[in-house]
């Protein structure tokens, strides 16, 4: 009867009939399968009348997801219906029909289901809560498994790491493959002061506004912060005020161990390089071969990675006994030129004394010393690989292609040649899964990857963006943040990240502040830890208008890619209405689709509601997204295009080492890789002291390095430290643990 009635009104119904011998667990398993099948919208469970003796019927009924409970018999639905909570329960047919009749008499109104896929928290703004960590603790986060369920993740796709964070398995992408993507928004900024202008806070505030206030499906995708700045000078990166990712202590510290995994993988490669050089220098070809391909049960056998090396050498043999002496020599000797090694050891701590070190000083290394250095972990190419990979298989391939040095004959030496690439994949197998957290208002956030924004592309992962875009659906929004100003983070987002992902962004949100624009207009130097000069806390429209030239240039930079721009003016309490209105006026004159001032730090999502509405409108505009350059152009031409069109340089100058690298990489077959410029973020030019929109300069290219696994070349513009140093008074002076309550103090 039910199947017949369903067919008459156009409902597709399926009868799942289990045998009478089915156990309680078997019934429960089938119910859970239907609960998690997004193609099925409702479920009715009918049990035999005599099943009460063998099956806990109440347990079976209550296992039905409340939102699919067509009979309305679960304890949750029945309870909500009984107390009149009609907007948050499934109303079965008989009471629904009765209420409809009552409604037609005009006696009462029934509420509708809320739109959006996520139940957002009510945010109570307390003006007495002045620190980020105090605000963070004022909100009790939803259990992460509840958030995962709200956004449409199945239980077997989520790996819980405590109550407030989880990893999401990549198979989610396959399940949602047919689901249309949502709208894709990138948050960037004008050229910032050393204090930062609030891109992370704006990203979180915008998602809170879209989800909690416009009732749209919205997801934030941000980078995981490095321990270096967290304990150094900058502090955390969870956003701030009432626009934060919570818990901020979890966000800013170990999270789920991704950075530790990268540290371990990176340093395994470094150890492999020096060990291989040592063994090649102290052993004959025969001894090397016998140890690299040892006898096992009387036989020698190549491992899969060794067969890959043989194929690369053009040796089509799989039996070790068949290699000639010449082939054995080619196989066992990587013959690394020590001066060509580009792979460094890493740790996730600011430590200036590791910028140049000497390794191999123990007597056991027999005098094989060399000069080396440490980088900060987030500068590792493995971090860039993690951010740009599109699958586990793709990551394995990228890790294998990473070039660590050059042989004395000029050939690139890879991790596959070292035999270590499979082990790297094992170490990174969990790190590839995005981390799920939430905002203060209960919106979902993916925190994944954190490549250094100077020498890498400075964007969170493609995988996180792709999963989020599927989960939000075609009317939803995914907001991702690009590191540093638009001339660096946004340019790399478009030319590198989007080129790898195939995703097309709908809107650029350009964050500007009165403070930064006054600096570009000629204001005094802004220094972290030093009080701001009076020009920054008093109204000064002349200084502000002069500095808006930088904003105008960054708007133009975004328009080069054919994407509409919305300027978000991140308001501080010392900003005046006249100053904020002036920025909005000049932004629109520069070509921005819209410009609004925002108070999301102080007011949460409500303070970014106007921004959210502007972004929603901009996302519906025609989009003519395009890349800045063709990757098949010569290396020098690609660098020149970025320098002239994005930075405003007259030309570029390649210093001798850079010229040598152009020739080397062209010869090695890497010329078609995109360009990832490594330059200061404090100026459009290479000189951090030149503010506003510098002109009449030639951009010097000191060196060029290759991240072949990640898939880009990075020219070095000036001197670029790859491991920061600690200031005189680091942040760690204020960080402590309350041993009684377990609370972390002073983290922000």
């Amino acid at each position: 009867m039910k199947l017949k009635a369903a067919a008459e009104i156009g409902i597709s119904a399926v009868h799942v009939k289990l045998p009478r011998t089915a156990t309680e667990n078997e019934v429960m398993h089938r119910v859970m399968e239907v609960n998690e099948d997004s193609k099925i919208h409702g479920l009715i469970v009918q049990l035999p009348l005599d099943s009460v003796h063998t099956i806990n019927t109440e347990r079976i009924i209550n296992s039905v997801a409340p939102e699919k409970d067509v009979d309305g018999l679960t304890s949750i639905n029945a309870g909500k219906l009984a107390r009149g909570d009609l907007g948050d329960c499934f109303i079965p047919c008989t009471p629904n029909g009765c209420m409809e009749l009552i409604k037609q008499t005009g006696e009462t109104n029934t509420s509708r289901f809320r739109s959006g896929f996520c139940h957002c928290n009510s945010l109570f703004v307390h003006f007495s809560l002045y620190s980020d960590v105090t605000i963070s603790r004022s909100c009790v986060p939803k259990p992460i498994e509840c958030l995962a369920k709200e956004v449409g993740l199945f239980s077997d796709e989520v790996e819980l790491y405590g109550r407030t964070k989880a990893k999401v398995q990549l198979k989610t992408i396959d399940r949602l493959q047919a689901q249309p993507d949502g709208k894709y928004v990138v948050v960037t900024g004008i050229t910032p002061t050393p204090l930062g202008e609030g891109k992370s806070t704006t990203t979180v505030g915008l998602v809170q506004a879209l989800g909690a206030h416009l009732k749209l499906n919205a997801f934030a995708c941000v980078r995981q912060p490095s321990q270096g700045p967290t304990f150094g000078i900058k502090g955390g990166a969870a956003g701030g005020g009432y626009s934060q990712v919570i818990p901020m202590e979890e966000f800013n510290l170990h999270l789920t161990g991704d950075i530790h995994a990268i540290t371990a993988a990176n340093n395994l490669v470094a150890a492999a390089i020096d060990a291989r050089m040592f063994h090649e220098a102290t052993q004959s070809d025969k001894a090397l071969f016998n140890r690299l391909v040892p006898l096992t049960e009387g036989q020698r056998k190549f491992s899969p990675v060794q067969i890959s090396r043989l194929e690369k050498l053009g040796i089509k043999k799989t039996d070790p006994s068949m290699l000639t002496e010449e082939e054995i020599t080619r196989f066992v000797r990587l013959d690394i030129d020590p001066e060509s090694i580009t792979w460094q050891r890493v740790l996730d701590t600011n430590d200036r004394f590791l910028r140049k070190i000497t390794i191999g000083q123990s007597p056991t290394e027999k005098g094989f010393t060399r000069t080396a250095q440490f980088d900060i972990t987030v500068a590792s190419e493995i971090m860039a690989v993690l951010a740009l990979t599109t699958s586990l298989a793709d990551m394995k391939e990228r890790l294998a292609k990473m070039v660590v040095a050059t042989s004395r004959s000029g050939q690139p030496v890879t991790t596959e040649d070292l035999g270590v690439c499979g082990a790297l994949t094992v170490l990174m197998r969990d790190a590839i899964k995005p981390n799920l957290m939430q905002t203060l208002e209960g919106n979902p956030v993916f925190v994944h990857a954190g490549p250094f924004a100077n020498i890498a592309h400075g964007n969170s992962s493609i995988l996180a963006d792709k999963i989020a875009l599927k989960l939000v659906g075609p009317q939803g929004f995914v907001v991702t943040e690009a590191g540093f100003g638009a001339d660096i983070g946004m340019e790399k987002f478009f030319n590198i990240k989007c080129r790898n992902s195939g995703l097309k962004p709908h809107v650029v949100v350009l964050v500007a502040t009165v403070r930064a624009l006054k600096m570009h207009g000629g204001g005094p130097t802004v220094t972290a830890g030093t009080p701001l000069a009076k020009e920054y806390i008093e109204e000064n429209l002349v200084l502000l208008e002069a500095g808006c030239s930088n904003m105008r240039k960054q708007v133009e930079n975004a328009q080069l890619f054919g994407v509409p721009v919305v300027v978000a003016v991140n308001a501080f309490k010392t900003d005046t209405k006249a100053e904020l209105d002036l920025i909005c006026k000049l932004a629109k004159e520069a070509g921005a689709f819209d410009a609004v001032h925002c108070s999301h730090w102080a007011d949460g999502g409500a303070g970014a509601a106007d921004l959210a509405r502007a972004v929603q409108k901009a996302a519906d505009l025609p989009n003519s997204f395009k890349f800045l350059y063709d990757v098949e152009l010569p290396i020098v031409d690609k660098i020149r295009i970025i320098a002239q069109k994005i930075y405003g340089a007259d030309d570029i100058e390649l210093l001798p080492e850079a010229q040598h690298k152009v020739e080397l990489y062209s010869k090695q077959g890497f010329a078609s890789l995109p360009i990832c410029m490594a330059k200061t973020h404090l100026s459009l030019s290479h000189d951090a002291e030149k503010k506003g929109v510098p002109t009449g300069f030639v951009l010097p290219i000191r060196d060029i390095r290759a991240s072949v696994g990640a898939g880009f070349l990075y020219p070095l513009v000036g001197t670029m430290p790859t491991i920061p140093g600690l200031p005189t008074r680091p942040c760690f002076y204020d960080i402590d643990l309350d041993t009684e309550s377990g609370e972390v103090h002073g983290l922000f």
Side-chain angles (χ1 to χ4, degrees):
M1 289 172 63
K2 284 182 166 66
L3 291 173
K4 181 181 177 183
E8 288 175 353
I9 60 174
I11 291 178
S12 175
V14 177
H15 183 197
V16 178
K17 187 175 181 180
L18 302 181
R20 178 169 287 276
T21 56
T23 65
E24 181 178 326
N25 285 337
E26 288 172 334
V27 177
M28 288 280 290
H29 178 71
R30 295 306 299 271
V31 170
M32 293 303 293
E33 284 183 338
V34 176
N35 282 344
E36 295 191 337
D37 190 337
S38 60
K39 297 186 293 296
I40 299 176
H41 304 99
L43 169 63
I44 297 173
V45 177
Q46 292 188 303
L47 299 169
L49 293 175
D50 59 356
S51 63
V52 293
H53 302 296
T54 58
I55 290 179
N56 185 336
T57 56
E58 184 178 3
R59 181 170 177 247
I60 297 292
I61 291 169
N62 282 324
S63 69
V64 176
E67 64 272 17
K68 295 189 177 184
D69 180 18
V70 175
D71 274 338
L73 295 178
T74 65
S75 297
I76 292 175
N77 260 327
K80 287 183 176 181
L81 182 64
R83 71 170 185 255
D85 193 1
L86 307 182
D88 195 30
C89 72
F90 195 102
I91 306 172
C93 54
T94 302
N96 203 9
C98 293
M99 287 192 296
E100 182 61 28
L101 291 172
I102 296 171
K103 179 182 174 184
Q104 289 177 12
T105 69
E107 293 298 319
T108 187
N109 290 315
T110 56
S111 58
R112 298 176 59 126
F113 296 122
R114 74 177 294 280
S115 60
F117 65 166
C118 185
H119 295 278
C120 297
N121 300 329
S122 296
L123 190 65
F124 297 99
V125 176
H126 302 276
F127 293 104
S128 60
L129 302 180
Y130 57 89
S131 73
D132 290 341
V133 69
T134 307
I135 294 169
S136 174
R137 290 178 187 151
S138 71
C139 178
V140 178
K142 289 182 285 190
I144 200 66
E145 63 268 27
C146 294
L147 178 66
K149 184 178 180 182
E150 286 178 358
V151 302
L153 291 166
F154 292 175
S155 58
D156 65 350
E157 294 169 343
V158 179
E159 299 172 4
L160 303 181
Y161 279 67
R163 296 180 64 251
T164 57
K165 56 187 186 288
K167 278 195 167 292
V168 175
Q169 295 199 29
L170 303 189
K171 65 180 181 179
T172 307
I173 296 178
D174 297 329
R175 174 174 67 84
L176 299 172
Q177 191 171 13
Q179 167 89 317
D181 286 348
K183 306 294 177 64
Y184 197 27
V185 180
V186 59
V187 176
T188 185
I190 63 170
T191 305
T193 69
L195 306 177
E197 309 317 307
K199 291 193 307 297
S200 300
T201 308
T202 302
T203 299
V204 176
L206 174 56
V207 166
Q208 290 182 160
L210 288 164
H213 300 274
L214 271 62
K215 307 301 182 186
L216 298 167
N217 295 347
F219 225 115
C221 292
V222 298
R223 288 182 295 166
Q224 180 184 353
S226 164
Q227 177 186 302
T230 299
F231 287 91
I233 192 169
K234 185 180 177 184
Y242 286 92
S243 294
Q244 289 189 59
V245 181
I246 58 171
M248 60 94 74
E249 298 101 315
E250 299 284 343
F251 178 94
N252 285 312
L253 296 175
H254 304 284
L255 199 58
T256 57
D258 294 350
I259 290 181
H260 302 313
I262 292 165
T263 303
N266 185 100
N267 292 343
L268 181 62
V269 176
I273 293 168
D274 287 300
R276 185 58 175 263
M277 290 170 61
F278 174 80
H279 292 308
E280 286 189 25
T282 56
Q283 298 179 46
S284 66
D285 292 354
K286 183 178 180 180
L288 278 170
F289 185 76
N290 289 341
R291 286 182 171 89
L292 287 170
V293 193
L295 274 173
T296 304
E297 297 179 354
Q299 278 190 321
R300 299 189 190 276
K301 184 179 179 182
F302 291 125
S303 66
V305 73
Q306 289 176 325
I307 291 175
S308 295
R309 170 155 173 78
L310 289 167
E311 291 173 350
K312 181 178 176 180
L313 294 171
I315 301 171
K316 302 184 183 299
K317 297 176 181 178
T318 56
D319 183 351
S321 65
M322 299 301 292
L323 265 64
T324 65
E325 288 187 5
E326 186 268 340
E327 289 171 338
I328 288 174
T329 300
R330 292 172 60 208
F331 171 72
V332 301
R333 296 213 172 268
L334 301 182
D335 198 24
I336 293 171
D337 178 358
E339 297 299 318
S340 73
I341 295 173
T342 54
W343 197 268
Q344 310 298 345
R345 289 163 172 81
V346 300
L347 81 166
D348 198 38
T349 303
N350 290 0
D351 192 343
R352 67 178 69 246
F353 285 91
L354 294 178
R355 289 172 178 167
K356 189 173 183 179
I357 60 172
T358 302
I359 60 173
Q361 291 188 330
S362 170
T364 55
E365 274 51 76
K366 302 179 181 180
F368 289 100
T369 63
R370 70 179 181 89
T371 301
Q373 69 182 57
F374 270 78
D375 293 340
I376 197 161
T377 299
V378 290
S380 169
E381 184 179 350
I382 296 176
M383 177 63 90
V385 165
L386 176 65
L388 292 173
T389 194
T390 55
S391 68
L392 188 61
D394 178 61
M395 183 177 73
K396 182 177 181 180
E397 185 178 336
R398 287 173 180 271
L399 292 173
K401 291 194 296 185
M402 294 189 303
V403 174
V404 300
T406 301
S407 70
R408 288 186 171 88
S409 63
Q411 297 302 309
V413 178
T414 67
T415 58
E416 186 176 59
D417 294 324
L418 285 166
V420 74
C421 54
L424 300 183
T425 309
V426 171
L427 286 170
M428 293 294 294
R429 65 176 180 168
D430 289 323
I432 194 175
K433 304 167 190 172
N435 305 294
L436 179 65
M437 295 187 76
Q438 63 191 282
T439 72
L440 278 167
E441 297 189 47
N443 312 94
V445 181
F446 275 141
V447 185
H448 199 215
F452 215 46
N454 276 349
I455 66 167
H457 58 94
N459 284 265
S460 61
S461 79
I462 287 173
L463 285 169
D465 290 357
K466 284 194 166 186
I467 295 174
L469 284 164
K470 294 296 183 187
L471 289 171
V472 298
Q475 300 306 313
F477 284 81
V478 171
V479 183
T480 188
E481 178 194 353
F484 289 159
D487 55 303
I488 301 181
M490 182 196 70
E491 181 269 315
K492 294 174 181 178
F493 170 81
F494 288 140
N495 283 320
I496 297 175
K497 185 176 179 181
C498 291
R499 203 185 293 267
N500 275 270
S501 69
L503 299 173
K504 295 184 178 181
H506 292 79
V507 185
V508 170
V509 173
L510 183 72
V511 179
T513 63
V514 169
R515 175 180 68 196
L517 292 171
K518 285 181 176 178
M519 178 193 71
H520 288 297
T525 301
V526 176
T527 305
T530 303
L532 289 170
K534 65 180 181 63
E535 287 86 347
Y536 297 109
I537 55 178
E538 297 176 1
E539 185 175 289
N540 191 325
L541 299 178
V542 174
L543 200 63
L544 179 62
E545 184 167 4
C548 281
S549 60
N550 184 272
M551 177 181 65
R552 185 181 303 109
K553 173 59 176 166
Q554 299 289 31
V555 170
E556 292 171 359
N557 284 343
Q559 291 176 322
L560 288 172
F561 297 91
V563 182
V565 183
V566 174
V567 172
V569 186
N570 185 19
F572 289 54
K573 63 180 180 180
T574 55
D575 301 339
T576 68
K577 185 176 184 301
E579 289 176 326
L580 299 173
D581 288 345
L582 177 61
I583 297 173
C584 292
K585 172 179 172 291
L586 295 176
K588 292 175 187 176
E589 290 177 0
F593 168 75
D594 203 350
V596 293
H597 36 87
C598 315
S599 59
H600 43 275
W601 189 95
D603 301 314
D610 288 342
L611 174 63
R613 282 186 277 270
V615 167
Q616 187 181 19
K617 291 176 183 175
D620 291 331
L621 294 174
N623 194 312
S624 56
F625 173 65
K626 58 184 179 295
F627 300 120
L628 188 67
Y629 54 79
D630 183 342
V631 289
E632 297 303 326
L633 288 172
I635 295 172
V636 175
D637 290 356
K638 289 181 285 192
I639 297 172
R640 182 176 287 111
I641 288 171
I642 296 172
Q644 292 179 334
K645 292 192 175 183
I646 301 294
Y647 308 153
D650 287 348
D651 204 351
I652 62 172
E653 177 190 9
L654 264 64
L655 301 182
E657 184 61 28
Q659 185 60 53
H660 166 68
K661 292 294 181 61
V662 167
E663 296 166 2
L664 175 66
Y665 295 147
S666 298
K667 179 182 176 183
Q668 292 179 338
F670 305 144
S672 62
L673 293 175
I675 301 298
C676 185
M677 299 291 282
K679 80 168 187 72
T680 179
H681 61 291
L682 297 174
S683 172
L684 282 165
S685 74
H686 58 285
D687 184 349
E689 301 303 315
K690 292 184 177 180
K691 306 302 182 184
V693 184
T695 58
F697 65 94
V698 174
L699 194 74
I701 309 299
R702 178 172 61 87
D703 193 4
I704 304 175
R705 296 177 186 169
S707 290
V708 179
F712 54 75
L713 302 176
Y714 61 99
L716 300 180
V717 182
T719 303
M720 196 61 55
T722 51
I723 184 167
L726 288 172
T728 305
R729 192 187 189 283
C731 294
F732 62 63
Y733 272 79
D734 302 310
I735 297 173
D736 202 354
L737 182 72
D738 186 321
T739 55
E740 292 187 6
S741 68
E743 289 187 343
V744 176
H745 296 307
L747 188 58
F748 215 75

